Amino acid sequence: MDRETDDVLDAVGPRLRALRRERGLTLADLAATTGVSESTLSRLESGQRRATLELLLPLSRTYGVPLDDLVGAPRTGDPRIHLKPIKKFGMVFIPLSRRPGGVHAFKMIIPATPEPLEPTPKTHDGFEWLYVLNGRLRLVLGDRDLILPPGEAAEFDTSLPHWLGSADGGAVELLILFGVQGVRSHVHADRGDSQH
């Protein structure tokens, strides 16, 4: 191996340790999600074990970062970000953040409908923040029924019954932030195609 390759491989351990600490994970947490033993992870982080594709792939998946980021590979010059839209409840969620824990950011698109839909409020654990980019959002929150035009923001505790939809049947685009519980309820749950 050449010196440049050695330098790249030597930097992997500290990068992995920093990423794990930044995410607030223990070696035991990481071992449970990746299937790689704690001792192997420890030796990898301390530089006593060389990084291999078999070790880096599960870490890349767990952290939600490309392999290039784990090894510190130079950028290829392509600035595009390839986002995978998620379609749930008749809406489209485009992930804007890739952290496995903490707050998640999404662009959310509520498609146009021939007529505004009837609200069906739901509850779940968590907290949400949203910002309307385009269209007119109808936010039903508890006993309040609000219309938010572009440029308006709202934040609320999702243990209150809430529903998001179009105020006039037109498409609505918004930015939305929510914690892990909100992501699970909105993006990962498979409860049919009803509105939020």
Side-chain angles (χ1 to χ4, degrees):
M1 268 189 263
D2 60 34
R3 185 68 224 146
E4 189 177 335
T5 303
D6 281 343
D7 289 345
V8 167
L9 290 175
D10 288 345
V12 171
R15 190 174 290 111
L16 290 173
R17 179 180 287 122
L19 195 54
R20 179 176 57 79
R21 288 180 176 164
E22 176 187 307
R23 303 290 165 87
L25 298 171
T26 65
L27 286 171
D29 296 334
L30 202 52
T33 57
T34 62
V36 178
S37 73
E38 283 183 60
S39 63
T40 299
L41 291 168
S42 177
R43 290 195 324 265
L44 188 61
E45 287 186 0
S46 67
Q48 296 172 352
R49 171 95 187 241
R50 284 286 188 189
T52 64
L53 200 52
E54 292 156 331
L55 294 173
L56 292 177
L57 280 173
L59 290 168
S60 172
R61 277 193 295 271
T62 297
Y63 290 134
V65 299
L67 277 172
D68 287 356
D69 288 358
L70 290 183
V71 298
R75 296 281 176 213
T76 59
D78 186 349
R80 293 176 295 181
I81 298 171
H82 302 283
L83 305 171
K84 292 181 183 161
I86 300 161
K87 294 181 181 176
K88 290 284 181 184
F89 313 116
M91 296 181 264
V92 178
F93 295 85
I94 302 167
L96 302 175
S97 59
R98 298 187 288 189
R99 291 186 60 190
V103 175
H104 292 254
F106 290 84
K107 178 177 181 182
M108 185 171 137
I109 301 167
I110 301 171
T113 56
E115 298 180 14
L117 298 174
E118 198 55 41
T120 53
K122 306 259 189 260
T123 64
H124 55 84
D125 290 337
F127 202 80
E128 289 187 22
W129 178 91
L130 58 86
Y131 178 84
V132 181
L133 297 168
N134 287 309
R136 291 168 34 88
L137 177 71
R138 181 177 179 195
L139 170 61
V140 175
L141 184 61
D143 58 359
R144 300 181 73 188
D145 197 335
L146 307 164
I147 306 294
L148 284 75
E152 290 253 332
E155 60 181 334
F156 54 92
D157 182 332
T158 55
S159 64
L160 283 171
H162 62 284
W163 179 87
L164 305 176
S166 173
D168 52 19
V172 183
E173 294 179 37
L174 54 143
L175 293 177
I176 190 162
L177 302 176
F178 38 64
V180 177
Q181 261 58 354
V183 172
R184 207 170 285 123
S185 297
H186 294 291
V187 181
H188 297 301
D190 198 14
R191 296 182 294 193
D193 269 346
S194 62
Q195 285 287 87
H196 178 73

